[in-house]
Amino acid sequence: MKLSQFKFNLPESLLASEPSEHRDESRLMVLHRDTGKIEHKIFKDVLDYFDDKDVMILNNTKVFPARMYGNKEKTGATIEVFLLRELNRELRLWDVLVDPARKIRVGNKLYFGEEDLLVAEVVDNTTSRGRTIRFLFDGTDEEFRRNIEILGETPLPKYIKRKATPEDKFRYQTIYAKNEGAVAAPTAGLHFSRELMKRLELKGVDFAEVTLHVGLGTFRTVEVEDLTKHKMDSEQFIITDEAAKTVNKGIDNKRRICAVGTTSMRAIESSVSADRHLKPAADWTSKFIYPPYDFSIANSMITNFHTPESTLLVMIAAFAGYENIMNAYDVAVKEKYRFYSYGDAMLII
């Protein structure tokens, strides 16, 4: 398939810059894969589509405050530093993006916070905006992370044209987030409230937690018309024995297996055994799913509404069928569903 087949007109007014008042009261579009039928619901109605021994696969990655602002030595110019991933904990080496990049060269020092709480030195250029930096910090790892917490901001997506607030720290995070390492939230999970999780549990639904640390590569613009030529950035993922057992029991019992989010889907599809069961793993994946694709584990999924021509839209078209998805997105625009990270949700069954 070609990238241009995934174009659609998305009015800017439909980009959600604030979360819904209550997590589980955003809107929910239900799309039936076999018929293309569409239902309009509220997210907490997801309860009606799951039963005893069905399995929901959740990505328990935790977003850290990845966006920091520092000052360049001598000039004092303000530089945005976006922490992508820790390369070496002992040496405090990090892979980052800097903006404006043209001002930042190897050897430059950056100072963070009023009291220069942290100082970093640029040690390498990686891409046009990418740098490797080393934090010059003698304290414990715990103290270092506390300083990152103090200095860093919630890494809201760039389309949200406002400063991050204390509420974002809580709302741009799933309620089941555990393993720190993501620079973007697995947004399909943002709709789950504690009450809804409890009600699903009481109904007998099993939860399997996997981890995929979401990097910016998930959202990187596709720049090739031929989808087979697009390369995804690698993201770290972990599937425990316990999660694999829960999912495989559901598969063997022919239950509904639901991937909550495209990141959960990428993690499980990156670790499939020869007999189409889920394997435990601790690895990196650069898997890009595009039509036609034969999914092995999940037979349903929950996802947000994605950007035109994004890898996320391409993946859900592979899962639900291209015509179904493009029609559903047409309806979503007409019905004024909210798009992107803080937007509404879709259940594909």
Side-chain angles (χ1 to χ4, degrees):
M1 294 199 82
K2 303 291 182 209
L3 179 66
S4 52
Q5 290 174 262
F6 293 90
K7 264 190 185 143
F8 64 94
N9 183 34
L10 179 59
E12 209 162 305
S13 59
L14 298 186
L15 308 187
S17 60
E18 303 281 348
S20 58
E21 193 181 344
H22 301 290
R23 284 182 187 266
D24 57 15
E25 288 182 3
S26 51
R27 293 166 75 192
L28 176 71
M29 179 186 283
V30 182
L31 173 62
H32 296 258
R33 292 199 285 172
D34 51 352
T35 61
K37 178 186 160 192
I38 288 171
E39 299 175 86
H40 302 289
K41 303 281 185 177
I42 297 295
F43 192 80
K44 59 172 78 163
D45 296 332
V46 85
L47 202 61
D48 300 336
Y49 297 88
F50 291 88
D51 239 313
D52 191 33
K53 298 293 174 270
D54 287 344
V55 181
M56 283 188 166
I57 304 169
L58 311 171
N59 181 5
N60 67 12
T61 188
K62 190 174 186 182
V63 179
F64 67 94
R67 184 172 282 126
M68 296 169 63
Y69 293 92
N71 297 103
K72 192 180 166 190
E73 64 177 333
K74 294 183 183 148
T75 67
T78 300
I79 307 293
E80 181 187 310
V81 176
F82 194 98
L83 304 175
L84 287 176
R85 67 174 76 137
E86 190 172 38
L87 299 172
N88 185 309
R89 184 166 279 209
E90 275 175 50
L91 297 176
R92 307 206 196 285
L93 281 179
W94 284 75
D95 206 359
V96 304
L97 295 176
V98 292
D99 191 20
R102 67 184 184 283
K103 294 186 175 180
I104 298 301
R105 297 188 171 86
V106 172
N108 287 160
K109 282 202 174 82
L110 297 167
Y111 295 85
F112 299 90
E114 284 178 20
E115 305 289 316
D116 297 341
L117 206 53
L118 287 176
V119 180
E121 183 182 11
V122 180
V123 295
D124 197 10
N125 293 328
T126 50
T127 61
S128 59
R129 286 182 58 216
R131 303 287 184 271
T132 301
I133 65 172
R134 180 172 63 236
F135 285 100
L136 310 172
F137 185 77
D138 293 331
T140 65
D141 195 57
E142 201 179 312
E143 289 166 337
F144 173 69
R145 281 169 201 284
R146 199 178 308 130
N147 287 353
I148 296 274
E149 197 69 36
I150 292 165
L151 296 165
E153 274 185 11
T154 302
L156 292 179
K158 281 285 194 190
Y159 81 88
I160 295 179
K161 306 275 194 274
R162 60 174 177 79
K163 291 287 272 181
T165 66
E167 196 200 7
D168 289 311
K169 197 169 183 175
F170 163 66
R171 290 301 302 268
Y172 194 64
Q173 193 84 271
T174 63
I175 59 163
Y176 47 78
K178 284 188 187 74
N179 297 330
E180 194 171 85
V183 300
T187 55
L190 297 179
H191 305 283
F192 285 84
S193 63
R194 294 194 194 287
E195 296 74 22
L196 180 58
M197 297 278 284
K198 195 71 198 152
R199 290 174 72 193
L200 285 161
E201 219 175 278
L202 290 170
K203 214 170 173 188
V205 173
D206 289 324
F207 297 107
E209 292 188 10
V210 301
T211 304
L212 183 137
H213 291 315
V214 190
L216 286 185
T218 291
F219 308 97
R220 197 182 293 289
T221 314
V222 184
E223 289 169 346
V224 286
E225 175 66 357
D226 179 355
L227 291 176
T228 63
K229 302 278 195 299
H230 178 67
K231 296 281 182 285
M232 294 286 281
D233 289 11
S234 278
E235 290 166 318
Q236 191 179 18
F237 75 100
I238 299 158
I239 296 166
T240 61
D241 283 338
E242 188 189 351
K245 274 182 193 143
T246 302
V247 171
N248 292 335
K249 196 167 136 197
I251 292 172
D252 292 339
N253 291 334
K254 300 193 165 32
R255 302 308 305 167
R256 182 163 276 171
I257 313 289
C258 180
V260 176
T262 55
T263 57
S264 298
M265 186 69 91
R266 282 186 67 228
I268 61 180
E269 284 296 319
S270 298
S271 193
V272 179
S273 67
D275 64 349
R276 296 169 77 87
H277 281 62
L278 186 60
K279 289 189 304 192
D283 208 343
W284 292 75
T285 180
S286 54
K287 193 173 191 66
F288 175 34
I289 297 173
Y290 53 87
Y293 183 86
D294 186 17
F295 289 82
S296 297
I297 307 293
N299 50 27
S300 62
M301 81 180 288
I302 293 169
T303 185
N304 275 26
F305 287 93
H306 307 294
T307 39
E309 299 186 308
S310 61
T311 59
L312 309 169
L313 177 58
V314 169
M315 179 203 281
I316 63 164
F319 187 74
Y322 173 77
E323 280 80 13
N324 281 346
I325 283 296
M326 296 316 278
N327 175 54
Y329 269 53
D330 213 27
V331 171
V333 170
K334 285 194 183 85
E335 296 290 328
K336 295 189 166 43
Y337 275 76
R338 297 161 80 238
F339 278 68
Y340 297 5
S341 303
Y342 274 149
D344 295 317
M346 176 189 271
L347 167 65
I348 305 169
I349 52 176

